């Protein structure tokens, strides 16, 4: 009977450790200008939490104003950011604002806009239930984050945010 109790306790411990590990993954992206005349660089961090994916983007040296920011399909930033492909959209859904509209009404990569101040700096923090670093349908690792020249106006099909001025592949940094 004592072996059974320790076996059960060990199993519970393994399940609890495994559950906490499921929310321990993080990824980062170093956003670089997409061309010689492009401005906008920075970093993005992606952290799995029990409540969803915490996304924090910090941009520097970008033009003042609102700029569309999206997760794009591929983790490549060549060809002035065009190698990143379109918005991450595994469900073929119309464009929207994921934090407000959810997966039924927005691309999985629709993060909206980041506001850049007169010093060329801006920060965006979001918590998005359903996105993950790895695992599941809405995985961001291996994709890229793209900073656009203009604001995302949430129009169809992709928000009319213009050319890509910054791009960075999303890479796993810890498990």
């Amino acid at each position: 009977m004592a072996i059974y109790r320790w076996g059960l306790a060990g199993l519970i411990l393994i399940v609890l450790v495994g559950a906490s590990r499921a929310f321990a993954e993080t990824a980062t992206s170093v956003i670089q200008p997409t061309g010689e005349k492009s401005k906008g660089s920075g970093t993005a961090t992606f952290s799995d939490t029990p409540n969803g994916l915490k996304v924090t983007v910090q941009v520097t040296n970008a033009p003042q104003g609102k700029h569309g920011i999206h997760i794009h399909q591929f983790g490549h930033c060549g060809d002035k950011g065009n190698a990143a492909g379109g918005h991450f959209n595994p469900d073929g859904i119309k464009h929207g604002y994921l934090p407000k509209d959810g997966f039924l009404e927005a691309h999985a990569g629709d993060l909206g806009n980041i506001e850049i101040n007169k010093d060329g700096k801006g920060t965006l923090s979001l918590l998005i239930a359903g996105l993950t670093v790895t695992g599941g349908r809405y995985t961001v690792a291996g994709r890229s984050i793209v900073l656009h020249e203009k604001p995302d106006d949430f129009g169809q099909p992709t928000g009319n945010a213009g050319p890509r001025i910054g791009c960075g592949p999303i890479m796993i940094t810890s498990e």
Side-chain angles (χ1 to χ4, degrees):
M1 192 69 166
I3 293 174
Y4 172 76
R5 273 188 249 144
W6 279 111
L8 184 58
L11 179 60
I12 291 170
L13 181 61
I14 289 170
V15 168
L16 290 174
V17 169
S20 67
R21 181 178 165 84
F23 300 113
E25 288 193 303
T26 59
T28 59
S29 178
V30 176
I31 301 166
Q32 298 289 326
T34 56
E36 292 176 22
K37 295 182 181 182
S38 294
K39 291 187 176 183
S41 57
T43 59
T45 59
F46 304 85
S47 302
D48 282 329
T49 75
N51 298 318
L53 188 69
K54 181 179 179 187
V55 179
T56 305
V57 182
Q58 296 181 319
V59 172
T60 59
N61 196 33
Q64 183 178 1
K66 287 185 179 181
H67 296 270
I69 191 149
H70 307 110
I71 297 170
H72 283 243
Q73 183 67 30
F74 306 115
H76 306 286
C77 291
D79 187 27
K80 298 181 181 179
N82 292 315
H87 293 181
F88 175 42
N89 187 13
D91 297 323
I93 301 295
K94 68 179 184 171
H95 182 67
Y97 179 50
L98 184 61
K100 178 180 152 277
D101 301 331
F103 292 103
L104 296 178
E105 297 291 327
H107 300 161
D110 289 343
L111 303 183
N113 291 298
I114 184 168
E115 181 79 37
I116 306 299
N117 66 27
K118 64 182 178 180
D119 296 332
K121 298 178 183 177
T123 300
L124 176 68
S125 295
L126 300 169
L127 182 65
I128 304 172
L131 281 182
T132 61
V133 172
T134 63
R137 184 163 182 79
Y138 305 112
T139 299
V140 301
R143 304 190 189 291
S144 60
I145 189 157
V146 172
L147 177 68
H148 290 270
E149 178 182 61
K150 300 175 186 175
D152 183 334
D153 67 5
F154 307 104
Q156 300 306 318
T158 59
N160 304 307
R164 301 159 190 211
I165 62 171
C167 182
I170 300 170
M171 311 291 284
I172 296 173
T173 52
S174 71
E175 295 184 43

